[in-house]
Amino acid sequence: MLQSQTLPDARREFIAAHFDATPKTRALPADASPRRYYRIEVAPKLLMEVEPGTPDFEAFVRISRHLNALGLSAPRIFSVDFERGLALIEDFGHGTFTRLLAAGRSEEELYGLAVDALIHLHQAPGATRIDVPTYDHGPLFDELAMFTDWFVPQCAPDCDAAVFKDRFLGLWKSALTDVATCRDALVLRDYHVDNLMVIEGREGVSACGLLDFQDALIGSAAYDLVSLTQDARRDIDPALEERLIERYLAGRPGLDRQRFLSEYWLLAAHRHTKILGNFERLSKRDGKHGYLIHLPRVARLLDKALTRAGLDDIRAVMDAALPSWRDHAPAASISSPTSEAGRTP
């Protein structure tokens, strides 16, 4: 019988099983993820819908429960049907950091809350005792391949992509040797203002709502701070970035400061390289052209990070093979709507 149900039928049946009368629902705007959300009007709950068999669905449920057990606020899972790809989850409301910042809320306050939540996560006993993959050379290089496979052909169509990729990844392999062995923290990976919310009525770090953590890995504690303070979609004052780094380090006085800052800038360069490739991939493969408007910002961030991380050899290879990489801004980035450019994948 399940096989013959359409997905809307399955959705209605799932919701009806949890309410006396089937409530009205409203679809929320889509983003880069394959998940769809429907706000249930009579309760602070959302229906999350994925294609049955989606690999990260089980991870979302498991990691959400783990984060809540650590004293953080991920959406609580009220009910889940893995076979049909449906879950009833907590609705945090409308207060994303992005909306609150646009409405004039203090950057210092919001970013400070996000840093404090990271400190809590990174110091919580048992935070890394969860069955998720490690952020080793496998995922690190899969992400760099987005740059070589998607950004390079668009930026320099005449480049010998195979030769460039071999040289480029060889240099990155050496640069990432130490950080690929880090097992310091549960890395949420998309920790930025689009994926953070203020939950009214909660105090301390529990007031920070966490979204999009299903791809979490075990790796360096520096990664999520980079995601927060070097955002691909909005400019952040360098002075604020420095204060946030210092706030994090003050909250973790036992850290090796120099090692942390070295990982911070190395992973910043890696992340921005990945994002340049991923934004091109989202445009060319998925028709989501709105992400292209952010390429100039990401290129500027990458240029700075390469300098701060001392990756002059990688920059030299890029400059030789991709002379226009800093200025690459497809026309679509100017003319395309950006409504779909929500969360960074």
Side-chain angles (χ1 to χ4, degrees):
M1 164 129 182
L2 252 184
Q3 286 11 11
S4 65
Q5 282 188 314
T6 64
L7 205 51
D9 288 340
R11 185 194 311 147
R12 283 193 292 270
E13 180 182 296
F14 182 78
I15 293 174
H18 296 87
F19 296 92
D20 293 335
T22 303
K24 291 182 179 179
T25 61
R26 179 165 54 86
L28 300 185
D31 57 26
S33 81
R35 294 175 301 283
R36 296 170 295 278
Y37 296 92
Y38 301 86
R39 175 159 280 133
I40 296 172
E41 295 187 358
V42 298
K45 296 178 181 178
L46 297 174
L47 176 70
M48 183 172 74
E49 178 181 76
V50 302
E51 289 297 325
T54 299
D56 65 12
F57 185 32
E58 184 275 337
F60 179 93
V61 172
R62 184 163 43 84
I63 297 168
S64 175
R65 289 170 172 161
H66 181 67
L67 291 170
N68 276 289
L70 297 174
L72 294 166
S73 293
R76 287 175 290 175
I77 310 298
F78 299 113
S79 180
V80 61
D81 185 331
F82 288 113
E83 186 177 355
R84 292 189 289 188
L86 298 167
L88 196 62
I89 69 173
E90 185 176 12
D91 184 356
F92 286 157
H94 304 273
T96 65
F97 279 26
T98 301
R99 289 194 183 99
L100 295 172
L101 288 165
R105 192 82 165 254
S106 163
E107 277 191 315
E108 202 83 34
E109 173 197 347
L110 292 177
Y111 279 95
L113 174 60
V115 169
D116 291 348
L118 271 187
I119 293 169
H120 180 94
L121 172 61
H122 295 165
Q123 296 189 135
T128 59
R129 291 200 291 271
I130 181 172
D131 184 18
V132 298
T134 54
Y135 216 160
D136 56 23
H137 276 109
L140 287 167
F141 276 81
D142 286 345
E143 291 172 344
L144 289 171
M146 288 192 279
F147 179 84
T148 58
D149 295 352
W150 292 93
F151 183 85
V152 171
Q154 298 302 320
C155 180
D158 297 328
C159 172
D160 187 328
V163 171
F164 174 84
K165 185 172 186 176
D166 184 64
R167 177 67 174 146
F168 185 71
L169 294 185
L171 292 171
W172 271 110
K173 183 176 181 179
S174 176
L176 294 168
T177 296
D178 291 335
V179 81
T181 67
C182 285
R183 305 291 181 263
D184 302 333
L186 179 64
V187 182
L188 304 185
R189 298 179 78 186
D190 290 317
Y191 196 81
H192 53 75
V193 294
D194 285 345
N195 290 335
L196 297 169
M197 303 188 72
V198 170
I199 307 174
E200 301 300 335
R202 296 188 188 177
E203 301 293 332
V205 295
S206 67
C208 184
L210 309 176
L211 308 174
D212 265 22
F213 41 74
Q214 63 284 335
D215 295 320
L217 301 171
I218 302 297
S220 169
Y223 189 92
D224 282 338
L225 189 62
V226 168
S227 299
L228 179 71
T229 59
Q230 298 193 28
D231 198 322
R233 286 154 312 283
R234 73 182 306 267
D235 294 318
I236 297 172
D237 189 322
L240 174 60
E241 179 186 359
E242 290 299 322
R243 290 195 300 275
L244 295 171
I245 294 171
E246 292 303 322
R247 181 176 183 135
Y248 180 87
L249 289 169
R252 302 196 65 197
L255 283 183
D256 181 326
R257 178 188 179 90
Q258 202 53 47
R259 176 192 163 190
F260 182 84
L261 291 175
S262 176
E263 290 178 8
Y264 177 90
W265 287 107
L266 173 63
L267 290 170
H270 176 275
R271 179 172 171 82
H272 300 319
T273 301
K274 172 192 80 170
I275 290 174
L276 286 176
N278 198 31
F279 282 0
E280 282 286 8
R281 182 176 70 164
L282 286 166
S283 172
K284 302 303 177 294
R285 186 191 68 182
D286 303 335
K288 296 181 177 182
H289 306 301
Y291 288 94
L292 297 179
I293 198 171
H294 303 301
L295 291 182
R297 177 185 295 106
V298 179
R300 290 194 302 271
L301 290 169
L302 174 56
D303 204 16
K304 179 178 178 179
L306 289 169
T307 298
R308 295 293 296 268
L311 299 175
D312 297 332
D313 49 356
I314 292 175
R315 184 207 310 279
V317 168
M318 292 171 62
D319 287 347
L322 317 170
S324 66
W325 71 267
R326 293 176 184 81
D327 306 314
H328 176 65
S333 70
I334 299 172
S335 61
S336 295
T338 60
S339 60
E340 77 273 15
R343 302 172 196 150
T344 300

